[in-house]
Amino acid sequence: MTQTSPPPENAARAPARLPPDPNAYDTERNAAARARGLAAPYIAGGRDPDPEAAEREDRRNVRILVVTVVVIVLAGFVLGILAAALGLTGLVGGSG
C-alpha cells in the first residue's frame, strides 16, 4: 500500500467553481452575442464603469500630447537658432 501525504499548508488551492448566474445570461451583451450566433454568451469589452473619470483622463492625456508636440517642434527651432548663433552652420544646412 502506498500512503499519500497531505498537501503542504502553503500550497495554492484551486478556487471553488461558482454556480452559473441565470440573471447574467440575459444581460444586454449576452443577448447581443447570442443574436450574432456566438458560441459563448460574451462579447469582449463593455461599458466603462466610470465614464466621467475616463473623460477627465482622456482630456488630460490630450493636453499632454499637444504640449509634447509643441515642445518637440519648438525645440527643433530653438536648437537650430542656437546652432546658427554659435556658427555651427554645417549642422543646420547653411551655405558655407
Side-chain angles (χ1 to χ4, degrees):
M1 276 192 217
T2 60
Q3 190 175 24
T4 60
S5 61
E9 291 178 21
N10 60 355
R13 296 182 182 169
R17 293 190 63 106
L18 296 175
D21 184 7
N23 293 331
Y25 185 76
D26 289 329
T27 63
E28 180 181 333
R29 290 172 57 196
N30 293 338
R34 285 193 312 277
R36 290 186 177 110
L38 298 176
Y42 176 74
I43 298 174
R47 293 189 177 92
D48 193 340
D50 191 6
E52 292 84 19
E55 288 293 324
R56 282 193 307 271
E57 184 178 1
D58 286 346
R59 284 191 298 271
R60 180 179 154 268
N61 288 340
V62 166
R63 279 188 235 118
I64 290 172
L65 177 65
V66 169
V67 168
T68 302
V69 169
V70 168
V71 166
I72 290 172
V73 170
L74 289 179
F77 283 110
V78 169
L79 291 176
I81 292 169
L82 285 176
L86 294 174
L88 304 172
T89 55
L91 295 177
V92 293
S95 61

